[in-house]
Coordinates of all heavy atoms in Angstrom, one line a residue:
L23 N 341.5 -46.3 -88.0 CA 342.6 -45.9 -87.2 C 343.9 -46.2 -88.0 O 344.0 -47.1 -88.8 CB 342.7 -46.7 -85.9 CG 341.5 -46.4 -84.9 CD1 341.6 -47.4 -83.8 CD2 341.6 -45.0 -84.4
K31 N 338.1 -49.3 -74.2 CA 337.2 -48.5 -73.3 C 337.8 -48.5 -71.9 O 338.3 -49.5 -71.4 CB 335.8 -49.2 -73.2 CG 334.8 -48.4 -72.4 CD 333.4 -48.8 -72.8 CE 332.9 -48.2 -74.1 NZ 331.5 -48.3 -74.4
L57 N 348.6 -42.2 -93.1 CA 349.1 -41.2 -94.1 C 349.2 -41.8 -95.5 O 349.5 -43.0 -95.6 CB 350.4 -40.7 -93.6 CG 350.4 -40.1 -92.2 CD1 351.9 -39.8 -91.8 CD2 349.6 -38.9 -92.1
S78 N 351.3 -33.4 -89.0 CA 351.1 -32.5 -87.8 C 352.4 -31.9 -87.3 O 352.4 -30.8 -86.9 CB 350.3 -33.3 -86.7 OG 351.1 -34.4 -86.3
D95 N 362.9 -43.5 -85.5 CA 364.3 -43.7 -85.8 C 364.4 -44.5 -87.1 O 363.7 -45.5 -87.3 CB 365.0 -44.5 -84.7 CG 364.9 -43.7 -83.4 OD1 365.0 -42.5 -83.4 OD2 364.7 -44.3 -82.4
P105 N 375.7 -65.6 -90.9 CA 376.5 -66.1 -89.8 C 376.8 -64.9 -88.8 O 377.2 -65.2 -87.7 CB 377.8 -66.5 -90.5 CG 377.4 -66.8 -91.9 CD 376.3 -65.9 -92.2
S114 N 362.2 -71.5 -74.7 CA 361.9 -70.5 -73.7 C 362.5 -70.8 -72.4 O 362.6 -70.0 -71.5 CB 360.3 -70.4 -73.5 OG 359.8 -71.7 -73.2
G151 N 358.3 -64.5 -72.0 CA 358.0 -65.9 -72.2 C 356.6 -66.3 -71.6 O 356.4 -65.9 -70.5
E163 N 348.4 -56.4 -71.9 CA 348.5 -55.5 -70.7 C 348.4 -54.0 -71.2 O 349.1 -53.6 -72.1 CB 349.8 -55.8 -70.1 CG 350.0 -55.0 -68.8 CD 351.3 -55.3 -68.1 OE1 351.6 -56.5 -67.9 OE2 352.1 -54.4 -67.8
S168 N 343.3 -42.8 -66.9 CA 342.8 -42.0 -65.8 C 343.6 -42.2 -64.5 O 344.0 -41.3 -63.8 CB 341.3 -42.4 -65.5 OG 340.6 -42.1 -66.7
P192 N 347.5 -76.0 -67.9 CA 348.0 -77.2 -68.5 C 346.9 -77.9 -69.2 O 345.7 -77.8 -68.8 CB 348.6 -78.0 -67.3 CG 347.9 -77.5 -66.1 CD 347.7 -76.0 -66.4
D201 N 341.5 -74.1 -75.3 CA 340.4 -73.2 -75.0 C 339.1 -74.0 -74.6 O 338.1 -73.3 -74.3 CB 340.1 -72.2 -76.1 CG 341.3 -71.3 -76.4 OD1 342.0 -70.9 -75.4 OD2 341.5 -71.0 -77.6
G211 N 323.7 -83.6 -63.9 CA 324.9 -84.4 -63.6 C 325.7 -84.8 -64.9 O 326.7 -85.5 -64.8

Side-chain angles (χ1 to χ4, degrees):
L23 294 173
K31 189 160 281 192
L57 304 174
S78 58
D95 301 319
S114 57
E163 182 177 309
S168 301
D201 301 322

